[in-house]
């Protein structure tokens, strides 16, 4: 038997009995970061493969949303900061050991790049698109000349952004449930999956939706594999990690995680997409909405569970 | 660089919390927060029980994850004393350092920056002891340079069995508890 009693002094706001320092802002930011990474990745990949017309929504339409989605995510992050006027401090130094520093610089780079990418495609989505000044048109002509380089840069930075949304958490050794290298790839693939779902909702053609659904099925399969792998890793690790895994295997996060993330967010949409592919059910956007819901829930639950799990028990 | 740390004698500590009150007064710690606290740790099977009373605070870790993860450099290790501090002017209140500390030793000060034990560096630089060490009625706390083999802390660590907190987290804490 072991008994640990804290007798005085420790009743700190948002620290005891377990951390509640990060509320809705961080999961929303991580979700939007992953979504944006996916949108940019697929847009740039299909652009380079010369499928801009065939996959019009993926390549041209979805990126138009990116600057707004990114701005919303960054605003959520800003709301989370406790010392808001010191926001600029993120950009006065590069700290290679800090994932948050990586993240802020990646966002600082991806924001202008994706805005240029969106402007480039806005011209073909809105035929009456005109720039108010000549220099803007000249600048955009310059961008178009180097569109391929921009696409490659976006692929690269989208991958960093997608992985970063997971690494931000996995770098915290102090929170055992976050401390797994699987979180980077898991959030990356989940971000890609939500982007595919987002594109499916926007897409006007059956062919494109069908193609996106097929890729999404692969993404969902990969996510399920990574989730199983993550728990196998925990259960084969130290006592503290086994205890952390128990939060999801009988503990307080069991029902929300397995029902909302795995069931509603992965298995049910996968099943509907398979049946849709076999023409057994009517093609609807239900799986796409479920995938988006599951992606958001994954971030909410993981962010919360990480703050619940600690070395002090 | 010196490597300042603490040695706390759990055989002497009675858990009176004078150190907690002294810290709050000395450092103007706001209501609802603390930089040090008392833990009463009871282990074993009744009636064979072992009790340890500990005064705990930031361990000023040598391998400090709070310093590594800080995106702005606000959390840093002081070059002269090897003590982990927060530069309030650089802190954004992103709370990464709070999430990274396995001891939950940090908190957000109501003014927005992150705060924690400083080993009372404002006193130490004047040649004084940290307020908690100074005030302890049982004299169970000792503060000094762990790199100096003749310091009181080094001698105590050599002469008595001791342990640090959660060494398996790999942070190399610099507070030792004498058994
Ligand atoms: S105890 Fe926590 S806050 Fe203090 S140095 Fe170690 S990790 Fe940082
Ligand atoms: S809250 Fe302040 S000290 Fe902590 S990691 Fe963020 S910027 Fe650094």
């Amino acid at each position: 038997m072991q008994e640990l009693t804290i007798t005085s002094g420790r009743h700190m706001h948002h620290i005891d009995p377990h951390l509640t320092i990060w509320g809705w802002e961080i999961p929303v930011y991580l979700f939007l970061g992953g979504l944006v990474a996916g949108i940019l990745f697929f847009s740039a990949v299909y652009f380079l493969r010369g499928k801009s017309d065939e996959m019009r929504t993926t390549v041209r339409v979805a990126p138009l949303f990116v600057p707004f989605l990114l701005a919303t995510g960054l605003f959520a992050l800003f709301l989370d900061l406790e010392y808001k006027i010191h926001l600029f401090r993120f950009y006065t130094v590069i700290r290679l050991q800090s994932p948050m520093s990586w993240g802020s610089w990646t966002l600082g780079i991806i924001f202008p790049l994706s805005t240029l990418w969106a402007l480039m495609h806005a011209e073909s989505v809105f035929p009456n698109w005109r720039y108010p000044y000549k220099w803007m048109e000249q600048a955009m002509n310059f961008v178009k000349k180097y569109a391929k380089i921009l696409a490659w840069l976006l692929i690269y930075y989208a991958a960093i952004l997608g992985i970063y949304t997971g690494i931000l958490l996995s770098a915290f050794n102090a929170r055992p449930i976050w401390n797994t290298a699987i979180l980077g790839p898991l959030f990356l693939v989940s971000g890609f999956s939500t982007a595919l779902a987002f594109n499916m909702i926007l897409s006007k053609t059956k062919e494109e939706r069908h193609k996106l659904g097929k890729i999404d099925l692969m993404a969902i399969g990969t996510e399920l594999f990574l989730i199983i792998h993550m728990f196998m890793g925990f259960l084969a690790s130290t006592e503290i990690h086994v205890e952390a895994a128990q939060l999801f295997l009988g503990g307080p996060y069991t029902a929300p995680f397995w029902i909302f993330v795995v069931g509603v967010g992965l298995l049910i949409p996968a099943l509907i997409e398979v049946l849709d592919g076999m023409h057994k059910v009517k093609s609807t956007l239900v799986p796409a909405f479920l995938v988006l819901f599951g992606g958001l829930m994954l971030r909410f639950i993981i962010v919360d569970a990480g703050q619940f799990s600690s070395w002090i028990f | 660089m010196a490597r300042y740390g603490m040695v706390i004698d759990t055989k002497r500590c009675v858990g009176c919390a004078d150190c907690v009150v002294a810290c709050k007064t000395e450092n103007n710690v706001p209501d609802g927060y603390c930089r040090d606290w008392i833990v009463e740790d009871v282990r074993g099977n009744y009636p064979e029980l072992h009790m340890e009373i500990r005064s705990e605070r930031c361990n000023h870790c040598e391998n400090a994850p709070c310093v590594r993860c800080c995106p702005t450099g606000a959390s840093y290790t002081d070059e002269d004393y090897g003590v982990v501090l927060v530069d309030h002017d650089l802190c954004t209140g992103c709370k990464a350092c709070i999430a990274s500390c396995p001891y939950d030793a940090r908190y957000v000060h109501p003014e927005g920056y992150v705060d924690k034990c400083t080993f009372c560096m404002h006193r130490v630089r004047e040649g004084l002891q940290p307020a908690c060490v100074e005030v302890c009625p049982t004299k169970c706390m000792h503060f000094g340079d762990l790199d100096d083999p003749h310091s009181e802390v080094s001698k105590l660590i050599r002469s008595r069995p001791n342990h640090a907190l959660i060494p398996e987290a790999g942070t190399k804490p610099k507070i030792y508890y004498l058994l």
Side-chain angles (χ1 to χ4, degrees), chain A residues 31-32 34-35 39 69 190-202 216 220 223 260 264-266 269 273 285-300:
Chain A
F31 171 76
L32 292 174
L35 176 63
I39 292 174
L69 293 171
S190 164
F192 281 6
S193 176
T194 53
L196 292 162
F198 184 80
N199 291 350
M200 268 164 38
I201 292 168
L202 293 180
D216 195 27
I220 290 176
E223 268 183 83
F260 294 127
V264 177
L266 297 173
E273 276 172 15
L285 291 176
V286 172
F289 281 108
L290 292 182
V291 164
L292 285 172
F293 170 78
L296 188 60
M297 285 307 284
L298 172 72
R299 271 90 179 163
F300 265 98

mmCIF file of all heavy atoms in Angstrom, chain A residues 31-32 34-35 39 69 190-202 216 220 223 260 264-266 269 273 285-300:
data_model
loop_
_atom_site.group_PDB
_atom_site.id
_atom_site.type_symbol
_atom_site.label_atom_id
_atom_site.label_comp_id
_atom_site.label_asym_id
_atom_site.label_seq_id
_atom_site.Cartn_x
_atom_site.Cartn_y
_atom_site.Cartn_z
ATOM 1 N N PHE A 31 -6.178 21.154 -34.678
ATOM 2 C CA PHE A 31 -7.080 20.620 -35.696
ATOM 3 C C PHE A 31 -6.959 21.431 -36.984
ATOM 4 O O PHE A 31 -6.780 20.878 -38.071
ATOM 5 C CB PHE A 31 -8.524 20.654 -35.165
ATOM 6 C CG PHE A 31 -9.562 20.320 -36.193
ATOM 7 C CD1 PHE A 31 -9.760 19.004 -36.598
ATOM 8 C CD2 PHE A 31 -10.341 21.320 -36.766
ATOM 9 C CE1 PHE A 31 -10.721 18.696 -37.549
ATOM 10 C CE2 PHE A 31 -11.296 21.018 -37.723
ATOM 11 C CZ PHE A 31 -11.487 19.700 -38.116
ATOM 12 N N LEU A 32 -7.033 22.758 -36.851
ATOM 13 C CA LEU A 32 -6.960 23.604 -38.045
ATOM 14 C C LEU A 32 -5.581 23.508 -38.698
ATOM 15 O O LEU A 32 -5.463 23.520 -39.922
ATOM 16 C CB LEU A 32 -7.298 25.055 -37.682
ATOM 17 C CG LEU A 32 -8.761 25.290 -37.273
ATOM 18 C CD1 LEU A 32 -8.972 26.717 -36.804
ATOM 19 C CD2 LEU A 32 -9.712 24.977 -38.426
ATOM 20 N N GLY A 34 -3.630 20.863 -38.758
ATOM 21 C CA GLY A 34 -3.610 19.590 -39.491
ATOM 22 C C GLY A 34 -4.434 19.679 -40.758
ATOM 23 O O GLY A 34 -4.027 19.204 -41.830
ATOM 24 N N LEU A 35 -5.599 20.326 -40.655
ATOM 25 C CA LEU A 35 -6.492 20.474 -41.814
ATOM 26 C C LEU A 35 -5.801 21.275 -42.912
ATOM 27 O O LEU A 35 -5.780 20.882 -44.087
ATOM 28 C CB LEU A 35 -7.781 21.171 -41.344
ATOM 29 C CG LEU A 35 -8.838 21.517 -42.384
ATOM 30 C CD1 LEU A 35 -9.377 20.258 -43.041
ATOM 31 C CD2 LEU A 35 -9.997 22.284 -41.746
ATOM 32 N N ILE A 39 -4.809 20.184 -46.718
ATOM 33 C CA ILE A 39 -5.324 20.897 -47.899
ATOM 34 C C ILE A 39 -4.158 21.316 -48.806
ATOM 35 O O ILE A 39 -4.162 21.079 -50.013
ATOM 36 C CB ILE A 39 -6.138 22.155 -47.476
ATOM 37 C CG1 ILE A 39 -7.428 21.740 -46.764
ATOM 38 C CG2 ILE A 39 -6.454 23.016 -48.690
ATOM 39 C CD1 ILE A 39 -8.231 22.918 -46.192
ATOM 40 N N LEU A 69 -8.600 29.753 -42.519
ATOM 41 C CA LEU A 69 -8.482 28.688 -41.514
ATOM 42 C C LEU A 69 -7.243 28.913 -40.652
ATOM 43 O O LEU A 69 -7.277 28.769 -39.429
ATOM 44 C CB LEU A 69 -8.393 27.311 -42.204
ATOM 45 C CG LEU A 69 -9.649 26.849 -42.940
ATOM 46 C CD1 LEU A 69 -9.353 25.590 -43.756
ATOM 47 C CD2 LEU A 69 -10.780 26.567 -41.954
ATOM 48 N N SER A 190 -4.096 12.095 -39.646
ATOM 49 C CA SER A 190 -5.434 12.560 -39.294
ATOM 50 C C SER A 190 -5.717 13.908 -39.957
ATOM 51 O O SER A 190 -6.822 14.148 -40.453
ATOM 52 C CB SER A 190 -5.546 12.665 -37.769
ATOM 53 O OG SER A 190 -6.655 13.426 -37.418
ATOM 54 N N GLY A 191 -4.707 14.791 -39.979
ATOM 55 C CA GLY A 191 -4.863 16.087 -40.652
ATOM 56 C C GLY A 191 -5.142 15.890 -42.137
ATOM 57 O O GLY A 191 -6.021 16.540 -42.716
ATOM 58 N N PHE A 192 -4.415 14.970 -42.766
ATOM 59 C CA PHE A 192 -4.644 14.673 -44.187
ATOM 60 C C PHE A 192 -6.067 14.169 -44.396
ATOM 61 O O PHE A 192 -6.760 14.540 -45.345
ATOM 62 C CB PHE A 192 -3.646 13.613 -44.678
ATOM 63 C CG PHE A 192 -2.278 14.181 -44.962
ATOM 64 C CD1 PHE A 192 -1.977 15.497 -44.669
ATOM 65 C CD2 PHE A 192 -1.290 13.387 -45.541
ATOM 66 C CE1 PHE A 192 -0.715 16.029 -44.934
ATOM 67 C CE2 PHE A 192 -0.033 13.906 -45.814
ATOM 68 C CZ PHE A 192 0.257 15.225 -45.516
ATOM 69 N N SER A 193 -6.505 13.280 -43.493
ATOM 70 C CA SER A 193 -7.835 12.694 -43.611
ATOM 71 C C SER A 193 -8.916 13.782 -43.497
ATOM 72 O O SER A 193 -9.877 13.791 -44.275
ATOM 73 C CB SER A 193 -8.004 11.640 -42.506
ATOM 74 O OG SER A 193 -9.290 11.120 -42.535
ATOM 75 N N THR A 194 -8.737 14.701 -42.546
ATOM 76 C CA THR A 194 -9.736 15.771 -42.411
ATOM 77 C C THR A 194 -9.727 16.685 -43.643
ATOM 78 O O THR A 194 -10.780 17.157 -44.071
ATOM 79 C CB THR A 194 -9.504 16.630 -41.140
ATOM 80 O OG1 THR A 194 -8.162 17.101 -41.134
ATOM 81 C CG2 THR A 194 -9.779 15.853 -39.868
ATOM 82 N N ALA A 195 -8.540 16.875 -44.232
ATOM 83 C CA ALA A 195 -8.467 17.707 -45.438
ATOM 84 C C ALA A 195 -9.204 17.032 -46.594
ATOM 85 O O ALA A 195 -9.915 17.683 -47.363
ATOM 86 C CB ALA A 195 -7.013 17.958 -45.813
ATOM 87 N N LEU A 196 -9.037 15.718 -46.707
ATOM 88 C CA LEU A 196 -9.730 14.980 -47.777
ATOM 89 C C LEU A 196 -11.240 15.103 -47.578
ATOM 90 O O LEU A 196 -11.998 15.291 -48.530
ATOM 91 C CB LEU A 196 -9.303 13.508 -47.760
ATOM 92 C CG LEU A 196 -7.843 13.255 -48.172
ATOM 93 C CD1 LEU A 196 -7.374 11.883 -47.718
ATOM 94 C CD2 LEU A 196 -7.676 13.399 -49.682
ATOM 95 N N ALA A 197 -11.671 15.008 -46.301
ATOM 96 C CA ALA A 197 -13.095 15.136 -45.999
ATOM 97 C C ALA A 197 -13.588 16.547 -46.340
ATOM 98 O O ALA A 197 -14.652 16.722 -46.935
ATOM 99 C CB ALA A 197 -13.340 14.844 -44.522
ATOM 100 N N PHE A 198 -12.783 17.533 -45.997
ATOM 101 C CA PHE A 198 -13.122 18.931 -46.294
ATOM 102 C C PHE A 198 -13.281 19.123 -47.805
ATOM 103 O O PHE A 198 -14.250 19.712 -48.273
ATOM 104 C CB PHE A 198 -11.988 19.820 -45.753
ATOM 105 C CG PHE A 198 -12.216 21.295 -45.876
ATOM 106 C CD1 PHE A 198 -13.025 21.959 -44.970
ATOM 107 C CD2 PHE A 198 -11.612 22.028 -46.892
ATOM 108 C CE1 PHE A 198 -13.226 23.336 -45.073
ATOM 109 C CE2 PHE A 198 -11.805 23.399 -46.999
ATOM 110 C CZ PHE A 198 -12.616 24.052 -46.086
ATOM 111 N N ASN A 199 -12.338 18.549 -48.569
ATOM 112 C CA ASN A 199 -12.400 18.659 -50.025
ATOM 113 C C ASN A 199 -13.627 17.941 -50.587
ATOM 114 O O ASN A 199 -14.230 18.395 -51.559
ATOM 115 C CB ASN A 199 -11.131 18.071 -50.661
ATOM 116 C CG ASN A 199 -9.918 18.944 -50.370
ATOM 117 O OD1 ASN A 199 -10.061 20.058 -49.866
ATOM 118 N ND2 ASN A 199 -8.734 18.434 -50.675
ATOM 119 N N MET A 200 -13.976 16.790 -49.966
ATOM 120 C CA MET A 200 -15.147 16.042 -50.426
ATOM 121 C C MET A 200 -16.406 16.890 -50.274
ATOM 122 O O MET A 200 -17.282 16.886 -51.128
ATOM 123 C CB MET A 200 -15.288 14.751 -49.609
ATOM 124 C CG MET A 200 -14.578 13.610 -50.299
ATOM 125 S SD MET A 200 -14.234 12.196 -49.397
ATOM 126 C CE MET A 200 -15.136 11.607 -48.367
ATOM 127 N N ILE A 201 -16.468 17.620 -49.167
ATOM 128 C CA ILE A 201 -17.653 18.453 -48.914
ATOM 129 C C ILE A 201 -17.740 19.578 -49.954
ATOM 130 O O ILE A 201 -18.815 19.901 -50.447
ATOM 131 C CB ILE A 201 -17.616 19.026 -47.469
ATOM 132 C CG1 ILE A 201 -17.793 17.877 -46.474
ATOM 133 C CG2 ILE A 201 -18.690 20.084 -47.254
ATOM 134 C CD1 ILE A 201 -17.487 18.232 -45.034
ATOM 135 N N LEU A 202 -16.577 20.116 -50.319
ATOM 136 C CA LEU A 202 -16.574 21.237 -51.271
ATOM 137 C C LEU A 202 -16.748 20.786 -52.714
ATOM 138 O O LEU A 202 -17.266 21.534 -53.546
ATOM 139 C CB LEU A 202 -15.250 22.002 -51.178
ATOM 140 C CG LEU A 202 -14.932 22.778 -49.907
ATOM 141 C CD1 LEU A 202 -13.573 23.455 -50.062
ATOM 142 C CD2 LEU A 202 -15.994 23.833 -49.639
ATOM 143 N N ASP A 216 -9.042 8.701 -48.658
ATOM 144 C CA ASP A 216 -9.409 8.858 -47.251
ATOM 145 C C ASP A 216 -9.484 7.499 -46.562
ATOM 146 O O ASP A 216 -9.101 7.358 -45.402
ATOM 147 C CB ASP A 216 -10.741 9.600 -47.130
ATOM 148 C CG ASP A 216 -10.980 10.094 -45.714
ATOM 149 O OD1 ASP A 216 -9.970 10.315 -45.012
ATOM 150 O OD2 ASP A 216 -12.133 10.244 -45.306
ATOM 151 N N ILE A 220 -7.622 6.524 -43.217
ATOM 152 C CA ILE A 220 -8.293 5.995 -42.026
ATOM 153 C C ILE A 220 -7.636 4.680 -41.592
ATOM 154 O O ILE A 220 -7.368 4.466 -40.409
ATOM 155 C CB ILE A 220 -9.805 5.790 -42.300
ATOM 156 C CG1 ILE A 220 -10.488 7.154 -42.439
ATOM 157 C CG2 ILE A 220 -10.456 4.982 -41.181
ATOM 158 C CD1 ILE A 220 -11.965 7.090 -42.805
ATOM 159 N N GLU A 223 -4.470 5.468 -39.888
ATOM 160 C CA GLU A 223 -4.723 6.008 -38.541
ATOM 161 C C GLU A 223 -5.021 4.888 -37.552
ATOM 162 O O GLU A 223 -4.506 4.884 -36.426
ATOM 163 C CB GLU A 223 -5.933 6.947 -38.577
ATOM 164 C CG GLU A 223 -5.583 8.386 -38.809
ATOM 165 C CD GLU A 223 -6.818 9.262 -38.756
ATOM 166 O OE1 GLU A 223 -7.242 9.639 -37.669
ATOM 167 O OE2 GLU A 223 -7.381 9.542 -39.840
ATOM 168 N N PHE A 260 -16.167 8.174 -29.908
ATOM 169 C CA PHE A 260 -16.188 9.342 -30.797
ATOM 170 C C PHE A 260 -15.042 9.369 -31.807
ATOM 171 O O PHE A 260 -15.234 9.733 -32.962
ATOM 172 C CB PHE A 260 -16.196 10.633 -29.978
ATOM 173 C CG PHE A 260 -17.450 10.807 -29.175
ATOM 174 C CD1 PHE A 260 -17.405 11.042 -27.813
ATOM 175 C CD2 PHE A 260 -18.692 10.711 -29.792
ATOM 176 C CE1 PHE A 260 -18.567 11.192 -27.068
ATOM 177 C CE2 PHE A 260 -19.867 10.852 -29.062
ATOM 178 C CZ PHE A 260 -19.805 11.088 -27.693
ATOM 179 N N VAL A 264 -17.128 6.675 -34.251
ATOM 180 C CA VAL A 264 -17.819 7.669 -35.085
ATOM 181 C C VAL A 264 -16.867 8.333 -36.088
ATOM 182 O O VAL A 264 -17.244 8.632 -37.223
ATOM 183 C CB VAL A 264 -18.486 8.745 -34.186
ATOM 184 C CG1 VAL A 264 -19.156 9.822 -35.019
ATOM 185 C CG2 VAL A 264 -19.495 8.095 -33.248
ATOM 186 N N GLY A 265 -15.614 8.540 -35.684
ATOM 187 C CA GLY A 265 -14.698 9.301 -36.530
ATOM 188 C C GLY A 265 -13.914 8.472 -37.535
ATOM 189 O O GLY A 265 -13.415 9.016 -38.520
ATOM 190 N N LEU A 266 -13.767 7.166 -37.280
ATOM 191 C CA LEU A 266 -12.953 6.360 -38.202
ATOM 192 C C LEU A 266 -13.723 5.156 -38.761
ATOM 193 O O LEU A 266 -13.866 4.999 -39.972
ATOM 194 C CB LEU A 266 -11.676 5.865 -37.490
ATOM 195 C CG LEU A 266 -10.684 6.939 -37.018
ATOM 196 C CD1 LEU A 266 -9.563 6.327 -36.195
ATOM 197 C CD2 LEU A 266 -10.092 7.674 -38.215
ATOM 198 N N PRO A 269 -17.304 6.063 -40.745
ATOM 199 C CA PRO A 269 -17.087 6.626 -42.083
ATOM 200 C C PRO A 269 -16.391 5.654 -43.034
ATOM 201 O O PRO A 269 -16.713 5.613 -44.226
ATOM 202 C CB PRO A 269 -16.226 7.864 -41.826
ATOM 203 C CG PRO A 269 -15.817 7.833 -40.408
ATOM 204 C CD PRO A 269 -16.752 6.922 -39.691
ATOM 205 N N GLU A 273 -17.914 4.460 -46.517
ATOM 206 C CA GLU A 273 -17.177 4.671 -47.771
ATOM 207 C C GLU A 273 -16.981 3.359 -48.523
ATOM 208 O O GLU A 273 -17.046 3.318 -49.751
ATOM 209 C CB GLU A 273 -15.832 5.359 -47.487
ATOM 210 C CG GLU A 273 -16.004 6.880 -47.387
ATOM 211 C CD GLU A 273 -14.758 7.625 -46.930
ATOM 212 O OE1 GLU A 273 -13.661 7.035 -46.952
ATOM 213 O OE2 GLU A 273 -14.887 8.804 -46.536
ATOM 214 N N LEU A 285 -22.539 12.910 -47.963
ATOM 215 C CA LEU A 285 -21.382 13.564 -47.355
ATOM 216 C C LEU A 285 -21.235 13.202 -45.879
ATOM 217 O O LEU A 285 -20.368 13.756 -45.181
ATOM 218 C CB LEU A 285 -21.518 15.082 -47.507
ATOM 219 C CG LEU A 285 -21.368 15.595 -48.935
ATOM 220 C CD1 LEU A 285 -21.627 17.094 -48.995
ATOM 221 C CD2 LEU A 285 -19.966 15.289 -49.474
ATOM 222 N N VAL A 286 -22.082 12.256 -45.433
ATOM 223 C CA VAL A 286 -22.043 11.886 -44.013
ATOM 224 C C VAL A 286 -20.638 11.455 -43.563
ATOM 225 O O VAL A 286 -20.119 11.966 -42.562
ATOM 226 C CB VAL A 286 -23.093 10.790 -43.698
ATOM 227 C CG1 VAL A 286 -22.927 10.254 -42.286
ATOM 228 C CG2 VAL A 286 -24.491 11.350 -43.894
ATOM 229 N N PRO A 287 -19.965 10.523 -44.291
ATOM 230 C CA PRO A 287 -18.638 10.124 -43.817
ATOM 231 C C PRO A 287 -17.673 11.294 -43.702
ATOM 232 O O PRO A 287 -16.868 11.354 -42.765
ATOM 233 C CB PRO A 287 -18.142 9.111 -44.853
ATOM 234 C CG PRO A 287 -19.115 9.105 -45.949
ATOM 235 C CD PRO A 287 -20.372 9.757 -45.489
ATOM 236 N N ALA A 288 -17.758 12.246 -44.628
ATOM 237 C CA ALA A 288 -16.848 13.397 -44.584
ATOM 238 C C ALA A 288 -17.059 14.207 -43.301
ATOM 239 O O ALA A 288 -16.092 14.572 -42.619
ATOM 240 C CB ALA A 288 -17.067 14.277 -45.813
ATOM 241 N N PHE A 289 -18.311 14.449 -42.962
ATOM 242 C CA PHE A 289 -18.584 15.206 -41.735
ATOM 243 C C PHE A 289 -18.128 14.427 -40.496
ATOM 244 O O PHE A 289 -17.622 15.008 -39.539
ATOM 245 C CB PHE A 289 -20.075 15.564 -41.640
ATOM 246 C CG PHE A 289 -20.447 16.740 -42.498
ATOM 247 C CD1 PHE A 289 -21.200 16.565 -43.659
ATOM 248 C CD2 PHE A 289 -20.021 18.020 -42.170
ATOM 249 C CE1 PHE A 289 -21.521 17.650 -44.465
ATOM 250 C CE2 PHE A 289 -20.347 19.118 -42.969
ATOM 251 C CZ PHE A 289 -21.091 18.928 -44.124
ATOM 252 N N LEU A 290 -18.319 13.101 -40.541
ATOM 253 C CA LEU A 290 -17.897 12.282 -39.401
ATOM 254 C C LEU A 290 -16.381 12.317 -39.226
ATOM 255 O O LEU A 290 -15.868 12.387 -38.105
ATOM 256 C CB LEU A 290 -18.372 10.826 -39.570
ATOM 257 C CG LEU A 290 -19.892 10.606 -39.495
ATOM 258 C CD1 LEU A 290 -20.218 9.121 -39.619
ATOM 259 C CD2 LEU A 290 -20.468 11.153 -38.198
ATOM 260 N N VAL A 291 -15.671 12.286 -40.342
ATOM 261 C CA VAL A 291 -14.201 12.336 -40.272
ATOM 262 C C VAL A 291 -13.746 13.667 -39.658
ATOM 263 O O VAL A 291 -12.849 13.702 -38.801
ATOM 264 C CB VAL A 291 -13.580 12.123 -41.674
ATOM 265 C CG1 VAL A 291 -12.126 12.562 -41.706
ATOM 266 C CG2 VAL A 291 -13.692 10.658 -42.082
ATOM 267 N N LEU A 292 -14.376 14.753 -40.065
ATOM 268 C CA LEU A 292 -14.016 16.059 -39.490
ATOM 269 C C LEU A 292 -14.307 16.084 -37.989
ATOM 270 O O LEU A 292 -13.486 16.550 -37.190
ATOM 271 C CB LEU A 292 -14.802 17.177 -40.187
ATOM 272 C CG LEU A 292 -14.327 17.549 -41.591
ATOM 273 C CD1 LEU A 292 -15.293 18.509 -42.258
ATOM 274 C CD2 LEU A 292 -12.930 18.181 -41.540
ATOM 275 N N PHE A 293 -15.448 15.538 -37.623
ATOM 276 C CA PHE A 293 -15.817 15.477 -36.199
ATOM 277 C C PHE A 293 -14.798 14.626 -35.428
ATOM 278 O O PHE A 293 -14.308 15.027 -34.365
ATOM 279 C CB PHE A 293 -17.236 14.887 -36.075
ATOM 280 C CG PHE A 293 -17.618 14.571 -34.657
ATOM 281 C CD1 PHE A 293 -18.006 15.582 -33.792
ATOM 282 C CD2 PHE A 293 -17.589 13.255 -34.182
ATOM 283 C CE1 PHE A 293 -18.355 15.290 -32.476
ATOM 284 C CE2 PHE A 293 -17.936 12.959 -32.877
ATOM 285 C CZ PHE A 293 -18.314 13.975 -32.015
ATOM 286 N N GLY A 294 -14.459 13.470 -35.988
ATOM 287 C CA GLY A 294 -13.501 12.566 -35.328
ATOM 288 C C GLY A 294 -12.137 13.220 -35.162
ATOM 289 O O GLY A 294 -11.493 13.084 -34.121
ATOM 290 N N GLY A 295 -11.701 13.965 -36.186
ATOM 291 C CA GLY A 295 -10.405 14.633 -36.132
ATOM 292 C C GLY A 295 -10.368 15.670 -35.013
ATOM 293 O O GLY A 295 -9.385 15.782 -34.275
ATOM 294 N N LEU A 296 -11.460 16.407 -34.889
ATOM 295 C CA LEU A 296 -11.533 17.424 -33.840
ATOM 296 C C LEU A 296 -11.558 16.754 -32.460
ATOM 297 O O LEU A 296 -10.851 17.170 -31.537
ATOM 298 C CB LEU A 296 -12.800 18.274 -34.046
ATOM 299 C CG LEU A 296 -12.963 19.506 -33.162
ATOM 300 C CD1 LEU A 296 -11.810 20.480 -33.350
ATOM 301 C CD2 LEU A 296 -14.281 20.218 -33.446
ATOM 302 N N MET A 297 -12.333 15.694 -32.342
ATOM 303 C CA MET A 297 -12.422 14.984 -31.058
ATOM 304 C C MET A 297 -11.075 14.390 -30.662
ATOM 305 O O MET A 297 -10.695 14.402 -29.500
ATOM 306 C CB MET A 297 -13.461 13.849 -31.141
ATOM 307 C CG MET A 297 -14.889 14.313 -31.124
ATOM 308 S SD MET A 297 -15.268 15.381 -29.734
ATOM 309 C CE MET A 297 -15.364 14.208 -28.416
ATOM 310 N N LEU A 298 -10.339 13.861 -31.648
ATOM 311 C CA LEU A 298 -9.016 13.281 -31.362
ATOM 312 C C LEU A 298 -8.146 14.322 -30.665
ATOM 313 O O LEU A 298 -7.528 14.036 -29.624
ATOM 314 C CB LEU A 298 -8.355 12.817 -32.665
ATOM 315 C CG LEU A 298 -6.902 12.365 -32.554
ATOM 316 C CD1 LEU A 298 -6.798 11.019 -31.832
ATOM 317 C CD2 LEU A 298 -6.235 12.246 -33.925
ATOM 318 N N ARG A 299 -8.126 15.534 -31.198
ATOM 319 C CA ARG A 299 -7.285 16.589 -30.592
ATOM 320 C C ARG A 299 -7.791 16.967 -29.201
ATOM 321 O O ARG A 299 -7.014 17.137 -28.280
ATOM 322 C CB ARG A 299 -7.247 17.836 -31.475
ATOM 323 C CG ARG A 299 -6.136 17.805 -32.506
ATOM 324 C CD ARG A 299 -6.607 17.193 -33.753
ATOM 325 N NE ARG A 299 -5.638 17.118 -34.817
ATOM 326 C CZ ARG A 299 -5.810 16.326 -35.846
ATOM 327 N NH1 ARG A 299 -6.855 15.526 -35.925
ATOM 328 N NH2 ARG A 299 -4.919 16.281 -36.799
ATOM 329 N N PHE A 300 -9.105 17.122 -29.085
ATOM 330 C CA PHE A 300 -9.652 17.504 -27.776
ATOM 331 C C PHE A 300 -9.307 16.456 -26.714
ATOM 332 O O PHE A 300 -8.871 16.793 -25.611
ATOM 333 C CB PHE A 300 -11.182 17.674 -27.861
ATOM 334 C CG PHE A 300 -11.586 19.098 -28.093
ATOM 335 C CD1 PHE A 300 -11.885 19.553 -29.374
ATOM 336 C CD2 PHE A 300 -11.642 20.001 -27.046
ATOM 337 C CE1 PHE A 300 -12.233 20.873 -29.603
ATOM 338 C CE2 PHE A 300 -11.997 21.327 -27.259
ATOM 339 C CZ PHE A 300 -12.292 21.764 -28.545
#
